[in-house]
Amino acid sequence: MFNKRVFPKQWNEYFTVFIPKPGKKDALRPISMANNLHKIFERLIYKRLEWWAENNHIFHETQFGFRRGLSCIDNIATLITDIHTANKERKYTGVVFLDLVGAFDNVIPEALMALLFKYGLPNKIMEFIKTTITHRNLTGYAAGINLQRRQINRGLPQGSILSPILFNLYLALSYTCLPENVKILTYADDIAIYCANKNLDHIKDLLNQAIDNLKNFFSHLGLTISSSKSVYTVFSNLKVRNLRILLRRSRFNIKISNENIPFSLSPCFLGVYLDPELNWKAHVNQLKNRIIPRINILKAISGIQWGAHSTTLLTIYRVIQNNRLSLKCRIPDFILRRFFLYQNFIRSLVFKL
């Protein structure tokens, strides 16, 4: 089948379930469920594709998403290290966090196949990928109701094991359109571009030029940058008040298609809130606001002589709390001590100490 490049028509049939996105009203994420044999075959192709891409150095060193041995922590650590280095040299660091509109859903199959051919991917694997991502027949379900059936010739199936690595290959050349001294960090469709300099006007010009170049690059791939969801910020040794005054005086602004990108003092990048002084107070405060309602749940079902068993409480703790409390970033000790107070309080509830 693989050698003849002929695959069953049933492999193009997908059941699509729409799952609400957390924290977003009227926003749904389509998850495609494929044939079981198709999924097994996809995993076999994924192993070969991953080995081929890594050994041929197709991915750029700034791509951290869905790669073996790398995670979002590497993204954040790289950015923070470069900011600290610039601060020691008394430079400003301008950072723009870009948001792509419907990234996986807007991939153009023809553009992807052209890139794979340029990379030198074997023809048999290319034929399987082409069959997988084109002429897909989707049957939608929402709230247990069968919606409708339609054929899709655009985008990558969300839920497929091949989609993340194919999207990485789709954006692998994005760094080539950036001006000199502008760096890029990508984790799937989460993108940060930044540069450091002692002159704010120079940073503004470089970042605006980089965004224009990226906009043109993405437009050829069918992707669009959202100006309303993207944000920018500036890091320095200055106090927040003085930094605001300086940015206002220098008329510092970043634009996408003549639309201003909003400024944020504490932007969120890959789930981590970054404040101008990099003291992690913004991130810890956000975690505190999310943890307290969950502490109240544990309070309601725990007690020394009554309540749920410690095993049950520990399971609940692992489900609703542990992932949020597991910090892997470097945090100053005086902030970390405050943060661990909440963690120790929750554990005392769990074990009824």
Side-chain angles (χ1 to χ4, degrees), residues 84-92 197-199 237:
H84 279 305
T85 302
N87 286 347
K88 289 182 178 179
E89 297 174 357
R90 297 186 177 181
K91 294 180 179 179
Y92 304 101
N197 198 279
K198 293 183 178 180
N199 190 328
N237 290 323

Side-chain angles (χ1 to χ4, degrees), residues 113-156:
M113 299 309 298
L115 286 171
L116 295 179
F117 179 79
K118 180 178 180 180
Y119 297 148
L121 185 66
N123 291 331
K124 293 179 182 179
I125 298 180
M126 283 185 60
E127 190 64 32
F128 173 76
I129 293 173
K130 181 180 178 180
T131 304
T132 299
I133 65 177
T134 58
H135 305 295
R136 290 179 287 128
N137 298 315
L138 305 184
T139 303
Y141 287 89
I145 301 174
N146 189 346
L147 299 177
Q148 61 178 332
R149 176 187 173 89
R150 64 171 57 184
Q151 189 177 81
I152 300 295
N153 294 313
R154 191 182 182 97
L156 297 174

